Amino acid sequence: MADRIFNSGMAGDDTDMLANDKSLVVDIFHIPSKTSVTFKAFVTAYQDKFASEFNTEDVYGRMDPIQTFKGTKRNISLGWDVVSASAKEAKENLDRCTRLFQMLYPTYAAAGGTGTASTISGGPIFRLKFANLIQDVTTNTGGAASAEVAGLVGTISGFTYE
């Protein structure tokens, strides 16, 4: 993250330094639109759940069922506070939240050139990166790479804004 995207306008705001220089951010990249939204990492909740699934079949003469591996699902739950050191930064944060909410919908393209009907051209697929806890480890880019480069691909199944 070479760009200094956070500038609260407050002298001595260490949160800007942590976000800009130390890459302590929640970075969300929207794959269909190729746009990104980044928040300072005031993480309040983090849960990473892995669940393996098996097809189970009971057979005659065996006490234990035969289990065949089906797949592993990963579900990440992340909560963070959006803090502001100034009115300017509060407005920027509101803009960031609005962009994120817009990304939760699919992208559309005009159908058949009529301009009256639209078809879904891309679902809301994301790349998410938070420090070294949520990232695509196969990219080998180091800790400072953006979500576009090193983010973990997935979907957002729900979002609560309060």
Side-chain angles (χ1 to χ4, degrees):
M1 218 169 90
D3 297 337
R4 299 189 59 82
I5 63 171
F6 292 101
N7 182 10
S8 67
M10 301 295 290
D13 183 7
D14 291 336
T15 64
D16 289 345
M17 183 272 302
L18 291 171
N20 293 323
D21 299 340
K22 302 292 185 186
S23 298
L24 293 177
V25 296
V26 174
D27 192 5
I28 304 165
F29 179 75
H30 186 245
I31 294 173
S33 67
K34 298 186 181 347
T35 58
S36 183
V37 62
T38 305
F39 297 92
K40 292 180 182 178
F42 281 85
V43 173
T44 58
Y46 172 76
Q47 183 181 41
D48 202 347
K49 180 181 175 186
F50 295 85
S52 295
E53 293 184 55
F54 294 87
N55 286 327
T56 304
E57 184 176 348
D58 292 319
V59 294
Y60 182 74
R62 287 187 62 131
M63 231 178 7
D64 297 324
I66 296 174
Q67 295 187 8
T68 307
F69 179 71
K70 188 175 176 182
T72 300
K73 292 183 180 180
R74 183 177 185 185
N75 190 346
I76 298 172
S77 178
L78 182 66
W80 70 93
D81 286 342
V82 180
V83 299
S84 304
S86 66
K88 173 185 172 257
E89 188 175 20
K91 290 176 186 175
E92 291 170 356
N93 283 335
L94 183 58
D95 289 342
R96 286 184 181 99
C97 290
T98 301
R99 275 199 321 264
L100 177 58
F101 302 150
Q102 291 170 341
M103 291 176 181
L104 296 174
Y105 294 93
T107 55
Y108 295 92
T114 61
T116 57
S118 295
T119 58
I120 293 176
S121 64
I125 307 290
F126 298 89
R127 284 187 171 270
L128 176 65
K129 183 161 185 327
F130 167 60
N132 65 342
L133 296 174
I134 305 172
Q135 67 178 351
D136 182 355
V137 295
T138 62
T139 59
N140 296 323
T141 57
S146 68
E148 181 179 5
V149 175
L152 187 64
V153 177
T155 59
I156 297 176
S157 62
F159 198 89
T160 303
Y161 176 80
E162 53 180 316

mmCIF file of all heavy atoms in Angstrom, residues 19-62:
data_model
loop_
_atom_site.group_PDB
_atom_site.id
_atom_site.type_symbol
_atom_site.label_atom_id
_atom_site.label_comp_id
_atom_site.label_asym_id
_atom_site.label_seq_id
_atom_site.Cartn_x
_atom_site.Cartn_y
_atom_site.Cartn_z
ATOM 1 N N ALA A 19 -2.537 3.119 9.585
ATOM 2 C CA ALA A 19 -3.221 2.674 8.370
ATOM 3 C C ALA A 19 -2.326 2.819 7.149
ATOM 4 O O ALA A 19 -2.209 1.889 6.342
ATOM 5 C CB ALA A 19 -4.509 3.469 8.179
ATOM 6 N N ASN A 20 -1.669 3.957 6.991
ATOM 7 C CA ASN A 20 -0.879 4.228 5.794
ATOM 8 C C ASN A 20 0.465 3.507 5.784
ATOM 9 O O ASN A 20 0.829 2.890 4.783
ATOM 10 C CB ASN A 20 -0.644 5.730 5.638
ATOM 11 C CG ASN A 20 -1.915 6.485 5.340
ATOM 12 O OD1 ASN A 20 -2.773 6.009 4.625
ATOM 13 N ND2 ASN A 20 -2.028 7.685 5.898
ATOM 14 N N ASP A 21 1.205 3.596 6.874
ATOM 15 C CA ASP A 21 2.568 3.064 6.897
ATOM 16 C C ASP A 21 2.639 1.601 7.318
ATOM 17 O O ASP A 21 3.506 0.867 6.854
ATOM 18 C CB ASP A 21 3.450 3.903 7.832
ATOM 19 C CG ASP A 21 3.550 5.353 7.386
ATOM 20 O OD1 ASP A 21 3.275 5.623 6.202
ATOM 21 O OD2 ASP A 21 3.891 6.215 8.222
ATOM 22 N N LYS A 22 1.746 1.178 8.185
ATOM 23 C CA LYS A 22 1.785 -0.195 8.691
ATOM 24 C C LYS A 22 0.749 -1.109 8.034
ATOM 25 O O LYS A 22 0.641 -2.285 8.370
ATOM 26 C CB LYS A 22 1.572 -0.206 10.219
ATOM 27 C CG LYS A 22 2.566 0.613 10.997
ATOM 28 C CD LYS A 22 3.937 0.019 10.934
ATOM 29 C CE LYS A 22 4.883 0.816 11.839
ATOM 30 N NZ LYS A 22 6.257 0.384 11.716
ATOM 31 N N SER A 23 -0.049 -0.547 7.127
ATOM 32 C CA SER A 23 -1.083 -1.307 6.399
ATOM 33 C C SER A 23 -2.079 -1.981 7.334
ATOM 34 O O SER A 23 -2.551 -3.080 7.052
ATOM 35 C CB SER A 23 -0.440 -2.350 5.481
ATOM 36 O OG SER A 23 0.355 -1.727 4.521
ATOM 37 N N LEU A 24 -2.408 -1.334 8.438
ATOM 38 C CA LEU A 24 -3.396 -1.875 9.361
ATOM 39 C C LEU A 24 -4.777 -1.389 8.921
ATOM 40 O O LEU A 24 -5.338 -0.446 9.474
ATOM 41 C CB LEU A 24 -3.078 -1.463 10.795
ATOM 42 C CG LEU A 24 -1.793 -2.084 11.341
ATOM 43 C CD1 LEU A 24 -1.494 -1.582 12.738
ATOM 44 C CD2 LEU A 24 -1.890 -3.602 11.336
ATOM 45 N N VAL A 25 -5.279 -2.056 7.890
ATOM 46 C CA VAL A 25 -6.551 -1.685 7.276
ATOM 47 C C VAL A 25 -7.369 -2.930 6.959
ATOM 48 O O VAL A 25 -6.834 -4.034 6.854
ATOM 49 C CB VAL A 25 -6.340 -0.879 5.973
ATOM 50 C CG1 VAL A 25 -5.667 0.447 6.250
ATOM 51 C CG2 VAL A 25 -5.561 -1.675 4.948
ATOM 52 N N VAL A 26 -8.675 -2.725 6.823
ATOM 53 C CA VAL A 26 -9.577 -3.717 6.253
ATOM 54 C C VAL A 26 -9.778 -3.272 4.816
ATOM 55 O O VAL A 26 -10.333 -2.201 4.566
ATOM 56 C CB VAL A 26 -10.920 -3.771 7.018
ATOM 57 C CG1 VAL A 26 -11.892 -4.705 6.331
ATOM 58 C CG2 VAL A 26 -10.691 -4.184 8.468
ATOM 59 N N ASP A 27 -9.284 -4.065 3.875
ATOM 60 C CA ASP A 27 -9.288 -3.698 2.462
ATOM 61 C C ASP A 27 -10.239 -4.629 1.711
ATOM 62 O O ASP A 27 -10.083 -5.848 1.753
ATOM 63 C CB ASP A 27 -7.867 -3.814 1.907
ATOM 64 C CG ASP A 27 -7.700 -3.191 0.529
ATOM 65 O OD1 ASP A 27 -8.659 -2.577 0.020
ATOM 66 O OD2 ASP A 27 -6.598 -3.326 -0.038
ATOM 67 N N ILE A 28 -11.231 -4.054 1.030
ATOM 68 C CA ILE A 28 -12.255 -4.819 0.320
ATOM 69 C C ILE A 28 -12.225 -4.403 -1.151
ATOM 70 O O ILE A 28 -12.438 -3.230 -1.473
ATOM 71 C CB ILE A 28 -13.651 -4.573 0.919
ATOM 72 C CG1 ILE A 28 -13.641 -4.906 2.407
ATOM 73 C CG2 ILE A 28 -14.707 -5.390 0.181
ATOM 74 C CD1 ILE A 28 -14.835 -4.385 3.176
ATOM 75 N N PHE A 29 -11.967 -5.373 -2.036
ATOM 76 C CA PHE A 29 -11.896 -5.115 -3.465
ATOM 77 C C PHE A 29 -13.075 -5.793 -4.157
ATOM 78 O O PHE A 29 -13.287 -6.997 -4.016
ATOM 79 C CB PHE A 29 -10.574 -5.652 -4.031
ATOM 80 C CG PHE A 29 -10.414 -5.456 -5.513
ATOM 81 C CD1 PHE A 29 -10.114 -4.212 -6.028
ATOM 82 C CD2 PHE A 29 -10.566 -6.519 -6.380
ATOM 83 C CE1 PHE A 29 -9.969 -4.030 -7.393
ATOM 84 C CE2 PHE A 29 -10.422 -6.345 -7.747
ATOM 85 C CZ PHE A 29 -10.113 -5.097 -8.255
ATOM 86 N N HIS A 30 -13.861 -5.015 -4.900
ATOM 87 C CA HIS A 30 -15.029 -5.515 -5.630
ATOM 88 C C HIS A 30 -14.565 -5.945 -7.020
ATOM 89 O O HIS A 30 -14.185 -5.105 -7.845
ATOM 90 C CB HIS A 30 -16.078 -4.403 -5.709
ATOM 91 C CG HIS A 30 -17.363 -4.819 -6.306
ATOM 92 N ND1 HIS A 30 -17.823 -4.299 -7.495
ATOM 93 C CD2 HIS A 30 -18.313 -5.682 -5.884
ATOM 94 C CE1 HIS A 30 -19.005 -4.826 -7.780
ATOM 95 N NE2 HIS A 30 -19.317 -5.667 -6.819
ATOM 96 N N ILE A 31 -14.566 -7.250 -7.277
ATOM 97 C CA ILE A 31 -13.999 -7.787 -8.509
ATOM 98 C C ILE A 31 -14.733 -7.311 -9.768
ATOM 99 O O ILE A 31 -14.081 -6.884 -10.726
ATOM 100 C CB ILE A 31 -13.905 -9.330 -8.441
ATOM 101 C CG1 ILE A 31 -12.890 -9.715 -7.357
ATOM 102 C CG2 ILE A 31 -13.523 -9.921 -9.788
ATOM 103 C CD1 ILE A 31 -12.813 -11.199 -7.049
ATOM 104 N N PRO A 32 -16.087 -7.335 -9.833
ATOM 105 C CA PRO A 32 -16.746 -6.924 -11.082
ATOM 106 C C PRO A 32 -16.462 -5.477 -11.495
ATOM 107 O O PRO A 32 -16.254 -5.189 -12.670
ATOM 108 C CB PRO A 32 -18.236 -7.110 -10.783
ATOM 109 C CG PRO A 32 -18.289 -8.104 -9.694
ATOM 110 C CD PRO A 32 -17.059 -7.871 -8.877
ATOM 111 N N SER A 33 -16.428 -4.557 -10.548
ATOM 112 C CA SER A 33 -16.208 -3.147 -10.885
ATOM 113 C C SER A 33 -14.747 -2.731 -10.772
ATOM 114 O O SER A 33 -14.394 -1.607 -11.130
ATOM 115 C CB SER A 33 -17.050 -2.251 -9.979
ATOM 116 O OG SER A 33 -16.594 -2.342 -8.640
ATOM 117 N N LYS A 34 -13.917 -3.621 -10.248
ATOM 118 C CA LYS A 34 -12.494 -3.341 -10.044
ATOM 119 C C LYS A 34 -12.271 -2.079 -9.199
ATOM 120 O O LYS A 34 -11.383 -1.275 -9.459
ATOM 121 C CB LYS A 34 -11.756 -3.242 -11.374
ATOM 122 C CG LYS A 34 -11.790 -4.535 -12.175
ATOM 123 C CD LYS A 34 -10.949 -4.463 -13.397
ATOM 124 C CE LYS A 34 -10.955 -5.698 -14.256
ATOM 125 N NZ LYS A 34 -11.477 -6.903 -13.773
ATOM 126 N N THR A 35 -13.116 -1.918 -8.176
ATOM 127 C CA THR A 35 -12.969 -0.795 -7.250
ATOM 128 C C THR A 35 -12.722 -1.335 -5.851
ATOM 129 O O THR A 35 -13.073 -2.469 -5.532
ATOM 130 C CB THR A 35 -14.209 0.113 -7.246
ATOM 131 O OG1 THR A 35 -15.351 -0.666 -6.898
ATOM 132 C CG2 THR A 35 -14.420 0.768 -8.592
ATOM 133 N N SER A 36 -12.140 -0.483 -5.039
ATOM 134 C CA SER A 36 -11.755 -0.896 -3.698
ATOM 135 C C SER A 36 -12.259 0.105 -2.670
ATOM 136 O O SER A 36 -12.428 1.285 -2.972
ATOM 137 C CB SER A 36 -10.223 -0.992 -3.623
ATOM 138 O OG SER A 36 -9.818 -1.459 -2.372
ATOM 139 N N VAL A 37 -12.502 -0.388 -1.469
ATOM 140 C CA VAL A 37 -12.832 0.477 -0.342
ATOM 141 C C VAL A 37 -12.003 -0.015 0.848
ATOM 142 O O VAL A 37 -11.862 -1.217 1.056
ATOM 143 C CB VAL A 37 -14.349 0.500 -0.042
ATOM 144 C CG1 VAL A 37 -14.863 -0.852 0.347
ATOM 145 C CG2 VAL A 37 -14.683 1.520 1.011
ATOM 146 N N THR A 38 -11.425 0.931 1.576
ATOM 147 C CA THR A 38 -10.505 0.597 2.654
ATOM 148 C C THR A 38 -10.897 1.354 3.911
ATOM 149 O O THR A 38 -11.235 2.534 3.857
ATOM 150 C CB THR A 38 -9.063 0.967 2.248
ATOM 151 O OG1 THR A 38 -8.760 0.333 1.005
ATOM 152 C CG2 THR A 38 -8.059 0.499 3.280
ATOM 153 N N PHE A 39 -10.851 0.643 5.039
ATOM 154 C CA PHE A 39 -11.165 1.224 6.339
ATOM 155 C C PHE A 39 -9.985 1.029 7.280
ATOM 156 O O PHE A 39 -9.271 0.024 7.189
ATOM 157 C CB PHE A 39 -12.393 0.537 6.967
ATOM 158 C CG PHE A 39 -13.657 0.716 6.185
ATOM 159 C CD1 PHE A 39 -14.035 -0.212 5.232
ATOM 160 C CD2 PHE A 39 -14.474 1.817 6.401
ATOM 161 C CE1 PHE A 39 -15.210 -0.054 4.505
ATOM 162 C CE2 PHE A 39 -15.649 1.983 5.689
ATOM 163 C CZ PHE A 39 -16.014 1.045 4.732
ATOM 164 N N LYS A 40 -9.792 1.971 8.207
ATOM 165 C CA LYS A 40 -8.796 1.767 9.259
ATOM 166 C C LYS A 40 -9.208 0.545 10.071
ATOM 167 O O LYS A 40 -10.389 0.325 10.326
ATOM 168 C CB LYS A 40 -8.709 2.998 10.165
ATOM 169 C CG LYS A 40 -8.127 4.210 9.479
ATOM 170 C CD LYS A 40 -8.076 5.396 10.426
ATOM 171 C CE LYS A 40 -7.542 6.627 9.743
ATOM 172 N NZ LYS A 40 -7.529 7.794 10.653
ATOM 173 N N ALA A 41 -8.241 -0.244 10.488
ATOM 174 C CA ALA A 41 -8.522 -1.537 11.108
ATOM 175 C C ALA A 41 -8.774 -1.421 12.612
ATOM 176 O O ALA A 41 -7.966 -1.864 13.421
ATOM 177 C CB ALA A 41 -7.379 -2.509 10.839
ATOM 178 N N PHE A 42 -9.918 -0.865 12.967
ATOM 179 C CA PHE A 42 -10.355 -0.871 14.359
ATOM 180 C C PHE A 42 -11.238 -2.100 14.546
ATOM 181 O O PHE A 42 -12.449 -1.989 14.748
ATOM 182 C CB PHE A 42 -11.102 0.422 14.699
ATOM 183 C CG PHE A 42 -10.192 1.583 14.949
ATOM 184 C CD1 PHE A 42 -9.723 2.355 13.900
ATOM 185 C CD2 PHE A 42 -9.777 1.886 16.236
ATOM 186 C CE1 PHE A 42 -8.874 3.419 14.125
ATOM 187 C CE2 PHE A 42 -8.927 2.953 16.473
ATOM 188 C CZ PHE A 42 -8.469 3.723 15.411
ATOM 189 N N VAL A 43 -10.619 -3.268 14.453
ATOM 190 C CA VAL A 43 -11.342 -4.544 14.458
ATOM 191 C C VAL A 43 -11.861 -4.832 15.858
ATOM 192 O O VAL A 43 -11.118 -4.777 16.846
ATOM 193 C CB VAL A 43 -10.432 -5.682 13.949
ATOM 194 C CG1 VAL A 43 -11.097 -7.031 14.096
ATOM 195 C CG2 VAL A 43 -10.070 -5.425 12.496
ATOM 196 N N THR A 44 -13.158 -5.120 15.944
ATOM 197 C CA THR A 44 -13.800 -5.408 17.225
ATOM 198 C C THR A 44 -14.173 -6.880 17.370
ATOM 199 O O THR A 44 -14.390 -7.348 18.471
ATOM 200 C CB THR A 44 -15.078 -4.566 17.387
ATOM 201 O OG1 THR A 44 -15.963 -4.847 16.298
ATOM 202 C CG2 THR A 44 -14.743 -3.078 17.404
ATOM 203 N N ALA A 45 -14.266 -7.589 16.245
ATOM 204 C CA ALA A 45 -14.615 -9.011 16.285
ATOM 205 C C ALA A 45 -13.993 -9.716 15.092
ATOM 206 O O ALA A 45 -13.961 -9.168 13.984
ATOM 207 C CB ALA A 45 -16.131 -9.192 16.253
ATOM 208 N N TYR A 46 -13.485 -10.920 15.339
ATOM 209 C CA TYR A 46 -12.897 -11.713 14.262
ATOM 210 C C TYR A 46 -13.126 -13.183 14.585
ATOM 211 O O TYR A 46 -12.825 -13.641 15.688
ATOM 212 C CB TYR A 46 -11.399 -11.424 14.133
ATOM 213 C CG TYR A 46 -10.693 -12.347 13.168
ATOM 214 C CD1 TYR A 46 -10.829 -12.188 11.799
ATOM 215 C CD2 TYR A 46 -9.908 -13.392 13.632
ATOM 216 C CE1 TYR A 46 -10.199 -13.038 10.917
ATOM 217 C CE2 TYR A 46 -9.271 -14.245 12.763
ATOM 218 C CZ TYR A 46 -9.414 -14.069 11.402
ATOM 219 O OH TYR A 46 -8.790 -14.919 10.526
ATOM 220 N N GLN A 47 -13.699 -13.904 13.633
ATOM 221 C CA GLN A 47 -13.895 -15.337 13.801
ATOM 222 C C GLN A 47 -13.654 -16.000 12.450
ATOM 223 O O GLN A 47 -14.190 -15.565 11.425
ATOM 224 C CB GLN A 47 -15.314 -15.639 14.276
ATOM 225 C CG GLN A 47 -15.563 -17.111 14.536
ATOM 226 C CD GLN A 47 -16.988 -17.379 14.976
ATOM 227 O OE1 GLN A 47 -17.922 -16.808 14.444
ATOM 228 N NE2 GLN A 47 -17.138 -18.245 15.947
ATOM 229 N N ASP A 48 -12.845 -17.039 12.433
ATOM 230 C CA ASP A 48 -12.515 -17.779 11.221
ATOM 231 C C ASP A 48 -12.882 -19.235 11.463
ATOM 232 O O ASP A 48 -12.261 -19.911 12.275
ATOM 233 C CB ASP A 48 -11.019 -17.638 10.940
ATOM 234 C CG ASP A 48 -10.663 -17.885 9.493
ATOM 235 O OD1 ASP A 48 -11.514 -18.403 8.747
ATOM 236 O OD2 ASP A 48 -9.517 -17.561 9.115
ATOM 237 N N LYS A 49 -13.930 -19.706 10.772
ATOM 238 C CA LYS A 49 -14.478 -21.036 11.035
ATOM 239 C C LYS A 49 -14.268 -21.929 9.817
ATOM 240 O O LYS A 49 -14.618 -21.568 8.694
ATOM 241 C CB LYS A 49 -15.972 -20.922 11.342
ATOM 242 C CG LYS A 49 -16.644 -22.230 11.626
ATOM 243 C CD LYS A 49 -18.125 -22.025 11.899
ATOM 244 C CE LYS A 49 -18.825 -23.353 12.059
ATOM 245 N NZ LYS A 49 -20.265 -23.181 12.190
ATOM 246 N N PHE A 50 -13.681 -23.087 10.041
ATOM 247 C CA PHE A 50 -13.493 -24.096 9.008
ATOM 248 C C PHE A 50 -14.379 -25.284 9.349
ATOM 249 O O PHE A 50 -14.377 -25.756 10.487
ATOM 250 C CB PHE A 50 -12.039 -24.570 8.956
ATOM 251 C CG PHE A 50 -11.067 -23.499 8.553
ATOM 252 C CD1 PHE A 50 -10.543 -22.617 9.488
ATOM 253 C CD2 PHE A 50 -10.663 -23.382 7.240
ATOM 254 C CE1 PHE A 50 -9.651 -21.645 9.115
ATOM 255 C CE2 PHE A 50 -9.763 -22.405 6.861
ATOM 256 C CZ PHE A 50 -9.254 -21.533 7.795
ATOM 257 N N ALA A 51 -15.125 -25.782 8.369
ATOM 258 C CA ALA A 51 -16.006 -26.931 8.599
ATOM 259 C C ALA A 51 -15.839 -27.929 7.452
ATOM 260 O O ALA A 51 -16.117 -27.613 6.297
ATOM 261 C CB ALA A 51 -17.458 -26.490 8.697
ATOM 262 N N SER A 52 -15.367 -29.129 7.781
ATOM 263 C CA SER A 52 -15.225 -30.183 6.781
ATOM 264 C C SER A 52 -16.523 -30.972 6.696
ATOM 265 O O SER A 52 -17.163 -31.254 7.704
ATOM 266 C CB SER A 52 -14.078 -31.123 7.148
ATOM 267 O OG SER A 52 -12.855 -30.435 7.098
ATOM 268 N N GLU A 53 -16.895 -31.328 5.464
ATOM 269 C CA GLU A 53 -18.117 -32.097 5.247
ATOM 270 C C GLU A 53 -17.761 -33.464 4.665
ATOM 271 O O GLU A 53 -16.841 -33.589 3.860
ATOM 272 C CB GLU A 53 -19.049 -31.370 4.277
ATOM 273 C CG GLU A 53 -19.605 -30.082 4.833
ATOM 274 C CD GLU A 53 -20.597 -29.456 3.860
ATOM 275 O OE1 GLU A 53 -21.557 -30.160 3.473
ATOM 276 O OE2 GLU A 53 -20.388 -28.303 3.499
ATOM 277 N N PHE A 54 -18.544 -34.460 5.071
ATOM 278 C CA PHE A 54 -18.342 -35.827 4.593
ATOM 279 C C PHE A 54 -19.675 -36.422 4.183
ATOM 280 O O PHE A 54 -20.704 -36.138 4.790
ATOM 281 C CB PHE A 54 -17.736 -36.696 5.708
ATOM 282 C CG PHE A 54 -16.340 -36.297 6.103
ATOM 283 C CD1 PHE A 54 -16.122 -35.322 7.066
ATOM 284 C CD2 PHE A 54 -15.256 -36.899 5.513
ATOM 285 C CE1 PHE A 54 -14.845 -34.953 7.434
ATOM 286 C CE2 PHE A 54 -13.964 -36.549 5.873
ATOM 287 C CZ PHE A 54 -13.761 -35.569 6.838
ATOM 288 N N ASN A 55 -19.665 -37.249 3.139
ATOM 289 C CA ASN A 55 -20.810 -38.092 2.814
ATOM 290 C C ASN A 55 -20.684 -39.337 3.666
ATOM 291 O O ASN A 55 -19.637 -39.983 3.674
ATOM 292 C CB ASN A 55 -20.821 -38.479 1.334
ATOM 293 C CG ASN A 55 -21.221 -37.337 0.448
ATOM 294 O OD1 ASN A 55 -22.020 -36.502 0.834
ATOM 295 N ND2 ASN A 55 -20.661 -37.289 -0.744
ATOM 296 N N THR A 56 -21.724 -39.644 4.391
ATOM 297 C CA THR A 56 -21.698 -40.782 5.297
ATOM 298 C C THR A 56 -22.654 -41.853 4.795
ATOM 299 O O THR A 56 -23.801 -41.562 4.455
ATOM 300 C CB THR A 56 -22.117 -40.328 6.712
ATOM 301 O OG1 THR A 56 -21.244 -39.266 7.122
ATOM 302 C CG2 THR A 56 -21.995 -41.453 7.708
ATOM 303 N N GLU A 57 -22.154 -43.085 4.757
ATOM 304 C CA GLU A 57 -22.990 -44.193 4.300
ATOM 305 C C GLU A 57 -22.876 -45.359 5.279
ATOM 306 O O GLU A 57 -21.778 -45.841 5.563
ATOM 307 C CB GLU A 57 -22.559 -44.645 2.900
ATOM 308 C CG GLU A 57 -23.439 -45.712 2.326
ATOM 309 C CD GLU A 57 -23.052 -46.081 0.905
ATOM 310 O OE1 GLU A 57 -22.259 -45.371 0.289
ATOM 311 O OE2 GLU A 57 -23.556 -47.118 0.440
ATOM 312 N N ASP A 58 -24.031 -45.752 5.803
ATOM 313 C CA ASP A 58 -24.062 -46.924 6.677
ATOM 314 C C ASP A 58 -24.138 -48.171 5.807
ATOM 315 O O ASP A 58 -24.936 -48.256 4.873
ATOM 316 C CB ASP A 58 -25.285 -46.865 7.597
ATOM 317 C CG ASP A 58 -25.178 -45.738 8.611
ATOM 318 O OD1 ASP A 58 -24.073 -45.533 9.148
ATOM 319 O OD2 ASP A 58 -26.189 -45.051 8.853
ATOM 320 N N VAL A 59 -23.285 -49.141 6.105
ATOM 321 C CA VAL A 59 -23.285 -50.387 5.340
ATOM 322 C C VAL A 59 -23.471 -51.563 6.287
ATOM 323 O O VAL A 59 -23.115 -51.506 7.473
ATOM 324 C CB VAL A 59 -21.990 -50.556 4.514
ATOM 325 C CG1 VAL A 59 -21.901 -49.496 3.444
ATOM 326 C CG2 VAL A 59 -20.763 -50.511 5.399
ATOM 327 N N TYR A 60 -24.029 -52.612 5.751
ATOM 328 C CA TYR A 60 -24.310 -53.811 6.534
ATOM 329 C C TYR A 60 -22.996 -54.454 6.987
ATOM 330 O O TYR A 60 -22.050 -54.591 6.222
ATOM 331 C CB TYR A 60 -25.116 -54.805 5.675
ATOM 332 C CG TYR A 60 -25.484 -56.055 6.418
ATOM 333 C CD1 TYR A 60 -26.487 -56.033 7.374
ATOM 334 C CD2 TYR A 60 -24.825 -57.250 6.163
ATOM 335 C CE1 TYR A 60 -26.827 -57.171 8.063
ATOM 336 C CE2 TYR A 60 -25.165 -58.395 6.853
ATOM 337 C CZ TYR A 60 -26.168 -58.359 7.798
ATOM 338 O OH TYR A 60 -26.504 -59.497 8.482
ATOM 339 N N GLY A 61 -22.943 -54.826 8.237
ATOM 340 C CA GLY A 61 -21.783 -55.527 8.767
ATOM 341 C C GLY A 61 -20.702 -54.628 9.330
ATOM 342 O O GLY A 61 -19.687 -55.126 9.813
ATOM 343 N N ARG A 62 -20.878 -53.325 9.279
ATOM 344 C CA ARG A 62 -19.887 -52.408 9.846
ATOM 345 C C ARG A 62 -20.528 -51.585 10.943
ATOM 346 O O ARG A 62 -21.639 -51.105 10.800
ATOM 347 C CB ARG A 62 -19.355 -51.453 8.777
ATOM 348 C CG ARG A 62 -18.410 -52.123 7.798
ATOM 349 C CD ARG A 62 -17.803 -51.082 6.902
ATOM 350 N NE ARG A 62 -17.004 -50.113 7.663
ATOM 351 C CZ ARG A 62 -15.779 -49.749 7.343
ATOM 352 N NH1 ARG A 62 -15.211 -50.257 6.292
ATOM 353 N NH2 ARG A 62 -15.150 -48.867 8.062
#
